[in-house]
Amino acid sequence: MAPVAADCPLCREDGGLLLARHGQFRVIRATGPDAEHFPGFYRVVWNAHVAEWSDLSEADQALCMRAVSAVERVVRQHLRPTKVNLAALGNVVPHLHWHVVARYDWDSHFPAPVWAAAQRGPDGARLAAVRAALPACDAAIAALRF
Amino acid sequence: MAPVAADCPLCREDGGLLLARHGQFRVIRATGPDAEHFPGFYRVVWNAHVAEWSDLSEADQALCMRAVSAVERVVRQHLRPTKVNLAALGNVVPHLHWHVVARYDWDSHFPAPVWAAAQRGPDGARLAAVRAALPACDAAIAALRF
């Protein structure tokens, strides 16, 4: 049985739009406030309640990182970002999850991280173009075989 | 030969205090402004000028991630952080480097990411205690065999 923490939102819920479910992890697309200015915001969430990356065995790290890398490749192919940002922070929700975020040189925060202060206002037309590409990107992630 | 970009600071310089050098990557401790409020701020820098994580082969990813994980374990053992933050962003310097940052629930930004706005002022005494533990942490990283 995977460890579960009663008060952990990532133990209770998928954490976003569920695209792929593996025995040990799932892939979601963020749908809350995070996605407003960063539509191509995906997460690989480890199913077990594990806080730190180095708590995983090397085999589990390899499995998880294959998923992160596969999601990144699909994001690059379908969303054509300037850069992909990867992060496992977990200060608020200490349940291992990798952020995989498509960044664009025109986005509201670039080149700062998505968690920093905005550098400029959102570009509605370009954001809409990214959003239009999400269904195909989501479908390609859902079709991944890990 | 590893690809090199003439205008890339991580191709020109180590990027911080060099602790370990491997044929394909190096481990440094950040010594600039990043370290002022986050003394336990390490980076695993891929030597070749590669922008995206998914540009690495699976074998190179495994090698790099073993290093990230080993650094994280040393940081946890020596610096006893509340949480370790991992990130590969590269929006400013698109040369693959992993941030490995010891975070504390009393630090100036916790639980926000280090790139976000400060939540409170720095705690000088606690920062000094972390800095006092850096030499042993650095030595343990320098002693890692990848």
Side-chain angles (χ1 to χ4, degrees), chain B residues 62-139:
Chain B
L63 175 68
C64 187
M65 208 33 85
R66 272 199 297 275
V68 169
S69 192
V71 170
E72 180 182 291
R73 274 191 296 269
V74 170
V75 164
R76 291 174 70 183
Q77 182 185 347
H78 284 266
L79 305 184
R80 302 282 172 193
T82 306
K83 187 72 189 67
V84 178
N85 288 177
L86 303 180
L89 307 177
N91 302 330
V92 177
V93 179
H95 175 134
L96 181 63
H97 56 285
W98 281 98
H99 304 282
V100 181
V101 191
R103 300 298 309 279
Y104 298 90
D105 55 12
W106 50 261
D107 78 31
S108 52
H109 290 53
F110 200 89
V114 300
W115 305 281
Q119 310 279 310
R120 64 191 69 84
D123 184 327
R126 283 163 150 165
L127 284 170
V130 176
R131 285 194 193 101
L134 291 177
C137 190
D138 290 358

Side-chain angles (χ1 to χ4, degrees), chain A residues 67-111:
Chain A
V68 169
S69 192
V71 169
E72 180 182 290
R73 274 193 294 271
V74 169
V75 164
R76 291 173 71 184
Q77 183 186 346
H78 284 267
L79 305 184
R80 302 283 172 192
T82 306
K83 187 73 189 67
V84 177
N85 288 176
L86 303 179
L89 307 177
N91 303 330
V92 176
V93 180
H95 175 135
L96 180 62
H97 56 286
W98 281 97
H99 303 282
V100 181
V101 191
R103 300 298 309 279
Y104 298 90
D105 55 12
W106 50 260
D107 77 32
S108 53
H109 290 53
F110 200 89

